[in-house]
Amino acid sequence: IGGNDPAFFANERTILGWINGTLKVNFASLAEASNGASLCQLCDILYPKSMGADWKKVNWLADYEHDKLENFSILNRAFARANIKQNVPVNNLAKGKKVDLLKFWQWMMGFWSQHNAGADNYNVEERRAKCKNGTKFSNTTRGQINRMSTGSPRKAGTKVKRHRPQAISMDDEGPKVPS
């Protein structure tokens, strides 16, 4: 897929509309769709045998970098099995680098347009339910992956306030904590 392909000129909204329509999800941003699971499902639609037993390991609720790394590694293995000659920048995609995500989604959209023969008998929701957290994802408001974090509620990059121990003075009456 060359740089003159129309997919390379697609903006985030166009790509998001394509993802939501194809996978029957409701992502509000490209970042929400970029934990690797959506890409794995698109690859599964094009090359169902490429996912193999790894399909059950795809985590639709991957919110942390190590979970995303696993999803992108699964995608990379599926590409190798399907003889797709595209490097998956696993680390950059898992870190959520916006430029890398957009470029990769543009490439995927172009690849899809050239290789999709129309998988009419593919049921995206039924197939997604066979993944790790696929049923939970389908039962939530679709596409709310990053908004329903199961871990720490603080945003990445924010500092945690640490409580400093107070000095305790000792006198004849016993320990006193300053007020």
Side-chain angles (χ1 to χ4, degrees), residues 67-86:
D67 294 326
K68 293 176 187 180
L69 273 170
E70 179 64 25
N71 282 349
F72 287 116
S73 296
I74 290 169
L75 180 67
N76 206 15
R77 288 192 297 272
F79 276 17
R81 287 185 204 117
N83 291 321
I84 300 171
K85 306 288 186 234
Q86 172 66 22

Side-chain angles (χ1 to χ4, degrees), residues 49-177:
K49 294 180 181 175
S50 67
M51 296 305 290
D54 281 342
W55 182 248
K56 292 177 184 175
K57 298 176 188 175
V58 174
N59 185 355
W60 276 89
L61 298 179
D63 207 15
Y64 297 105
E65 189 176 330
H66 64 274
D67 294 326
K68 293 176 187 180
L69 273 170
E70 179 64 25
N71 282 349
F72 287 116
S73 296
I74 290 169
L75 180 67
N76 206 15
R77 288 192 297 272
F79 276 17
R81 287 185 204 117
N83 291 321
I84 300 171
K85 306 288 186 234
Q86 172 66 22
N87 178 40
V88 179
V90 173
N91 291 324
N92 290 346
L93 294 174
K95 288 179 182 173
K97 294 186 177 184
K98 192 169 183 168
V99 173
D100 292 322
L101 289 170
L102 183 62
K103 281 183 179 180
F104 197 79
W105 275 112
Q106 287 171 332
W107 176 85
M108 188 64 174
M109 191 173 174
F111 186 82
W112 176 271
S113 66
Q114 289 182 4
H115 295 88
N116 182 25
D120 296 330
N121 60 347
Y122 187 94
N123 184 330
V124 291
E125 292 164 329
E126 184 179 295
R127 187 75 171 135
R128 184 168 39 241
K130 295 179 181 177
C131 293
K132 183 177 181 182
N133 295 319
T135 305
K136 284 183 186 177
F137 175 84
S138 294
N139 290 337
T140 63
T141 304
R142 294 183 191 153
Q144 307 302 316
I145 291 178
N146 292 332
R147 292 186 212 150
M148 57 173 284
S149 174
T150 55
S152 171
R154 69 182 182 92
K155 294 181 180 178
T158 59
K159 293 185 178 183
V160 175
K161 291 183 181 178
R162 305 257 185 236
H163 296 284
R164 294 183 182 202
Q166 296 180 341
I168 299 174
S169 63
M170 296 293 283
D171 62 10
D172 295 337
E173 298 173 13
K176 289 187 181 180
V177 178

Side-chain angles (χ1 to χ4, degrees), residues 23-44:
L23 299 180
K24 297 180 182 173
V25 291
N26 189 23
F27 291 119
S29 71
L30 203 53
E32 285 182 4
S34 298
N35 70 358
S38 299
L39 288 160
C40 286
Q41 187 154 29
L42 290 168
C43 184
D44 187 56

